[in-house]
Amino acid sequence: MFPLQRGRRLRTNESIRSLVRETTLSPQDFMFPMFIAEGENYKVEIPSMPGIFRRSIDLTVKEVKELFALGIRAVNIYVKVDESLKDNTGKEAWNPNGLMQQAIKAIKAACPEMIVMPDVALDPYSIYGHDGIIENGDITNDATNDALVKMAVSHAQAGADFVAPSDMMDGRVLRLRQGLDQAGFQNVGIMSYSAKYASAFYGPFRDALDSAPREADVVVPKDKKTYQMDYANRLEAIKEALWDVEEGADMVMVKPGIAYLDIVREVKNAVNVPVTVFHVSGEYAMIKAASERGWLDHDKIMMEQLMCIKRAGASLISTYFAKEAAILLNKK
């Protein structure tokens, strides 16, 4: 029988396509990851991430104001810690006058409505580049959790709206929730990196913070595979996300993004909290490199990938493209 249903009728022109479009993007869908360094009036581009910079706090605040004016309502912040402050305990991570704590205070003072989600993990503070404390050649889980609680409480004291544990230690969400509540921060949320895979897509990020595992004079794990997830696994991601929700996570994250959209959809179907997706540094760098060579149309690929992440189930997308995408969306 000749088809009575013709899908092309709904694709005839952009007006019709916009009427029936199932997924839309807006600047409010984005969170911008930011790298903060010591100093004043300091801004240095990260070579493997064109257009992304390490900034001192004063210039970070200026950038945050611009982001807010574009409609972006959340930033995920990371700090590049001086080598002299690194050790195996991570104690600089809960210094009330540390770089992260100063940055949180400055951002909230200048732009109170911007949601600030500082990273909670020890790798920027570790002499070994790992997300936890090393004992007997391994990452010790529970001692690391104790350190993460101190870190998260110090972020809350500085004014953070959410804490964002990216360490993948077992049980850390429950410990963080208990620690925040006991310190009087019941309204500070937790955005947990629940399904964070041991991915090669993180390379440029580790350049930005100098946080890759490094050789040492003691036995240390050569990579992060004892705590970050095996990228061959699917059911494990669902299990990890459900555990984090049970322990008190307000949002869960899947990381990386484009290569893991099947996981995004599975997690979205399994949990009853918002799902954040991290469109990571390697995914960003690949688009930048290919577009610089004229192999891909930068803006079209950028928007297509962001739309696909949203379509897969993301409530919030942490992406280095946030500012560029917001500018394009605001022009429409």
Side-chain angles (χ1 to χ4, degrees):
M1 182 178 178
F2 199 77
L4 298 180
Q5 292 294 333
R6 292 178 180 264
R8 290 182 60 190
R9 294 188 189 115
L10 300 181
R11 306 176 201 137
T12 302
N13 55 52
E14 178 56 24
S15 293
I16 292 175
R17 291 192 295 272
S18 67
L19 287 176
V20 298
R21 189 161 290 141
E22 299 173 35
T23 308
T24 59
L25 279 174
S26 77
Q28 288 80 16
D29 292 322
F30 305 138
M31 174 164 62
F32 191 46
M34 304 187 76
F35 300 113
I36 302 169
E38 296 281 4
E40 189 173 347
N41 197 33
Y42 176 85
K43 179 181 176 181
V44 173
E45 189 173 39
I46 299 160
S48 55
M49 301 175 69
I52 301 299
F53 299 85
R54 297 189 198 100
R55 293 180 173 86
S56 52
I57 290 175
D58 55 329
L59 297 187
T60 298
V61 166
K62 181 180 178 182
E63 181 74 357
V64 166
K65 290 179 179 178
E66 292 181 16
L67 296 170
F68 194 84
L70 289 169
I72 295 168
R73 294 293 178 262
V75 291
N76 190 199
I77 58 176
Y78 304 84
V79 293
K80 188 176 189 308
V81 179
D82 188 272
E83 287 294 322
S84 65
L85 298 174
K86 296 182 180 183
D87 62 14
N88 188 35
T89 70
K91 62 180 182 297
E92 177 62 19
W94 54 90
N95 177 358
N97 297 312
L99 182 59
M100 177 67 87
Q101 289 77 5
Q102 292 181 51
I104 296 167
K105 291 175 184 177
I107 292 170
K108 293 302 292 185
C111 192
E113 294 180 69
M114 180 64 86
I115 302 302
V116 178
M117 301 191 189
D119 180 58
V120 175
L122 296 185
D123 51 331
Y125 303 89
S126 169
I127 54 173
Y128 304 123
H130 274 286
D131 292 44
I133 296 168
I134 303 239
E135 289 183 4
N136 301 318
D138 195 13
I139 310 299
T140 176
N141 194 91
D142 296 355
T144 296
N145 281 342
D146 292 340
L148 297 176
V149 171
K150 296 176 186 177
M151 186 179 186
V153 170
S154 77
H155 292 175
Q157 291 169 338
D161 300 283
F162 284 76
V163 294
S166 64
D167 56 286
M168 291 296 288
M169 297 298 114
D170 291 333
R172 91 276 207 211
V173 172
L174 178 59
R175 293 295 309 280
L176 290 174
R177 185 69 273 157
Q178 292 171 336
L180 289 167
D181 289 356
Q182 289 169 7
F185 296 106
Q186 292 87 354
N187 292 329
V188 172
I190 298 174
M191 182 193 70
S192 174
Y193 289 57
S194 298
K196 181 179 180 180
Y197 284 85
S199 171
F201 281 106
Y202 305 150
F205 173 91
R206 291 175 181 168
D207 291 343
L209 292 184
D210 190 23
S211 62
R214 58 184 72 178
E215 293 184 3
D217 56 1
V218 298
V219 176
V220 298
K222 65 179 180 178
D223 54 38
K224 302 190 177 188
K225 292 182 179 180
T226 67
Y227 46 102
Q228 294 179 0
M229 283 181 49
D230 183 344
Y231 57 70
N233 292 354
R234 176 180 62 87
L235 296 177
E236 185 182 12
I238 301 170
K239 177 178 68 177
E240 290 280 355
L242 289 171
W243 281 348
D244 283 0
V245 173
E246 290 173 3
E247 291 180 13
D250 301 282
M251 291 188 265
V252 296
M253 177 185 278
V254 175
K255 180 182 180 182
I258 285 295
Y260 294 78
L261 294 187
D262 60 322
I263 306 300
V264 175
R265 173 45 57 185
E266 295 254 20
V267 169
K268 179 70 173 181
N269 290 343
V271 302
N272 58 1
V273 299
V275 176
T276 303
V277 176
F278 205 138
H279 193 213
V280 299
S281 59
E283 295 170 315
Y284 173 89
M286 289 166 64
I287 292 177
K288 289 293 183 182
S291 62
E292 284 175 2
R293 288 160 177 76
W295 297 342
L296 293 174
D297 184 305
H298 177 279
D299 290 353
K300 289 181 179 178
I301 291 293
M302 171 181 71
M303 298 308 292
E304 181 177 344
Q305 288 204 357
L306 294 172
M307 185 69 79
C308 290
I309 293 171
K310 179 80 180 293
R311 186 195 66 217
S315 302
L316 179 64
I317 305 170
S318 184
T319 175
Y320 300 97
F321 287 117
K323 187 174 183 181
E324 293 174 275
I327 291 170
L328 279 182
L329 289 167
N330 287 334
K331 287 180 180 178
K332 292 185 177 181

